[in-house]
Amino acid sequence: MGLGGVRPRNGTARCGCTNRVVLVAVLWSLAACATTPPANHPVERGSNIQPEFQAGLAAAGRSEELFLVTTFSGGGTRAAAFAYGVLQELAATDVTIGGEPRRLVDEVDLISSVSGGSFTAAYYGLFGDRIFEDYEKVFLRRNLQGRLILEMLRPINWLRLFRVDRSQLAADFYDREIFEGATFADFRRVDAPEIVINATDLSTAGRFPFSPISFGLICSDLESYPVANAVMASSAVPIAFPTIRLSNHAGSCNFEVPGWLQQPPEENAPIALLAKREFLASYEKGRDRRFIHLLDGGLSDNLGLRNAVAAITVAADPLQMMREIGHGDIRQILVLVVNAEQRATRQWGGTNRTASPRQVMSSLSGRQIHNTNRITIELARKLFNDLGRTLSRPGAPVAVDFVEVSFEMNEDTSEREFLGGVETSLRLSAEKVDRLISAGRGILRSSPAFQRAVGRMGAAKRE
């Protein structure tokens, strides 16, 4: 209705809405043209290389017998809610390890994440059990897409859009509204698992983990880097968001490059090791690569699993690696791969109709992600099984349980179809969030591989 309850003439009722749409489009374009200065600070002196997994496991009270790795896939709020459900189930799973009752969630050593899964990983890494109190309100049940648009419409941000692109605007919003100004130094809580957020390097199409080795090679301080910027880089969908940029200061500090990166490749070296060596070595050419452009981590690894695979392949002495991270008496390895991949797109072999450009891109990207995920999972499964055999000693075998938690594992056909059809978005209905959380809990709980792993530990009764 118009002023005073009088309906405007035909064609004018939509004027206000149209003007707002045009304003959003103009501001969006301005934000795309802006160039945000990189947020990583250089360091004057480097330090010796730190282990890939660095959490103070012994100090955190984790068992030396169990090494628990979790990965969270991409997929917007769909992936974040699904991963959150898995964390809820781990918190509700009581086990006995080394004769002591424990919550399984407290035994998680590493969470490696990409895109939507990075929101859940980062929040849990920063705030621990608080995630079970307020994460749904803070993130899962908010219309973040609408809030980001409103951010651009705020007059206070109009001038900023000439010098800050929309990725940085979103990162600033996440920093303020979700992560409370946290930096990577805040991940170093005594009881926190190791959190590795993964993005994709635009120049190499390779995985860029926000880790000490990556920042050491570019002579930058990871501890002071905003968590929100890393999560934004991990979830920066191409075209929708510009890249998050880092300055490459390689060669300006005394960072000690790890031996496996300096040595020439062996004749039978694993392909994963060769790829990681080549990728990381590219950063040493600081003059040729002054800037590193990062975007959605799902483009290079939609499962977040390759970080754990890479850590295994570069370990010259796996048993020594386990000792360094507090697992000198390793007896069991549990790997949880939380995969929120959408169901396969339609089959085009049964129609003669021409596919639209959008349908072509959706079909190709969906199939490529699915195929790559299957290859990555099988490679990781083999490597972890090999690791278990390597770590086993006479009279002290190391059991390996590799658990995939995905929509495909849901026994209810209709629910499986529903979950696989949930859109990749930062705005989901309350019903979809509820069903995704419930699915994460239920699929993990009913997994035979997970039940075998828990059975090895022994159930504990909660008082």
Side-chain angles (χ1 to χ4, degrees), residues 82-352:
F82 193 50
Y84 175 66
V86 168
L87 282 179
Q88 280 191 335
E89 187 61 26
L90 290 175
T93 303
D94 296 310
V95 296
T96 299
I97 306 176
E100 297 183 11
R102 302 170 183 269
R103 294 188 315 166
L104 199 50
V105 73
D106 297 325
E107 295 298 308
V108 176
D109 296 303
L110 166 72
I111 302 178
S112 177
S113 66
V114 297
S115 199
S118 292
F119 286 93
T120 303
Y123 202 87
Y124 181 66
L126 291 171
F127 306 120
D129 274 5
R130 194 181 115 184
I131 194 173
F132 305 121
E133 302 170 4
D134 62 10
Y135 185 57
E136 294 182 45
K137 178 181 178 181
V138 170
F139 178 74
L140 294 180
R141 301 185 186 278
R142 295 177 72 181
N143 176 11
L144 289 181
Q145 289 184 175
R147 287 296 306 273
L148 289 174
I149 291 175
L150 289 176
E151 280 294 294
M152 287 192 297
L153 289 174
R154 292 176 63 195
I156 194 173
N157 283 328
W158 291 356
L159 291 178
R160 291 189 67 217
L161 290 174
F162 284 97
R163 57 185 177 84
V164 177
D165 61 38
R166 56 180 179 264
S167 285
Q168 191 58 52
L169 193 70
D172 291 345
F173 174 78
Y174 297 154
D175 185 68
R176 184 175 66 252
E177 299 285 333
I178 301 174
F179 300 117
E180 301 179 6
T183 68
F184 274 75
D186 295 304
F187 280 140
R188 305 307 171 202
R189 296 183 298 106
V190 171
D191 59 343
E194 183 77 4
I195 303 295
V196 179
I197 297 170
N198 298 278
T200 298
D201 186 327
L202 180 62
S203 297
T204 65
R207 180 181 56 85
F208 183 94
F210 283 83
S211 67
I213 185 172
S214 298
F215 268 59
L217 285 168
I218 62 174
C219 291
S220 291
D221 179 24
L222 178 62
E223 300 288 281
S224 65
Y225 194 75
V227 170
N229 275 46
V231 173
M232 184 62 235
S234 182
S235 59
V237 178
I239 300 177
F241 289 99
T243 58
I244 289 287
R245 290 168 294 282
L246 300 175
S247 292
N248 186 5
H249 305 287
S252 64
C253 63
N254 297 326
F255 181 76
E256 184 177 327
V257 178
W260 60 265
L261 184 55
Q262 294 176 322
Q263 298 169 358
E266 300 174 4
E267 183 177 351
N268 297 320
I271 293 176
L273 173 57
L274 296 176
K276 184 170 184 178
R277 179 185 281 119
E278 180 181 0
F279 174 60
L280 293 177
S282 71
Y283 295 125
E284 293 185 285
K285 304 174 182 178
R287 294 182 179 178
D288 297 332
R289 298 199 63 192
R290 293 178 54 208
F291 299 99
I292 300 166
H293 293 254
L294 303 175
L295 37 70
D296 196 334
L299 298 173
S300 54
D301 172 20
N302 197 49
L303 295 172
L305 183 56
R306 295 187 182 183
N307 179 73
V309 169
I312 294 173
T313 58
V314 303
D317 184 345
L319 183 57
Q320 179 60 30
M321 179 185 76
M322 286 296 166
R323 291 194 184 104
E324 290 175 354
I325 62 175
H327 289 299
D329 191 25
I330 182 73
R331 301 293 179 87
Q332 186 173 354
I333 298 173
L334 174 56
V335 183
L336 300 179
V337 180
V338 184
N339 181 8
E341 174 188 341
Q342 286 181 301
R343 67 170 180 264
T345 52
R346 63 177 294 176
Q347 300 289 337
W348 287 97
T351 180
N352 190 40

Side-chain angles (χ1 to χ4, degrees), residues 39-53:
N40 59 308
H41 302 303
V43 292
E44 294 181 359
R45 296 183 62 84
S47 61
N48 291 335
I49 184 63
Q50 300 179 56
E52 284 284 317
F53 306 126

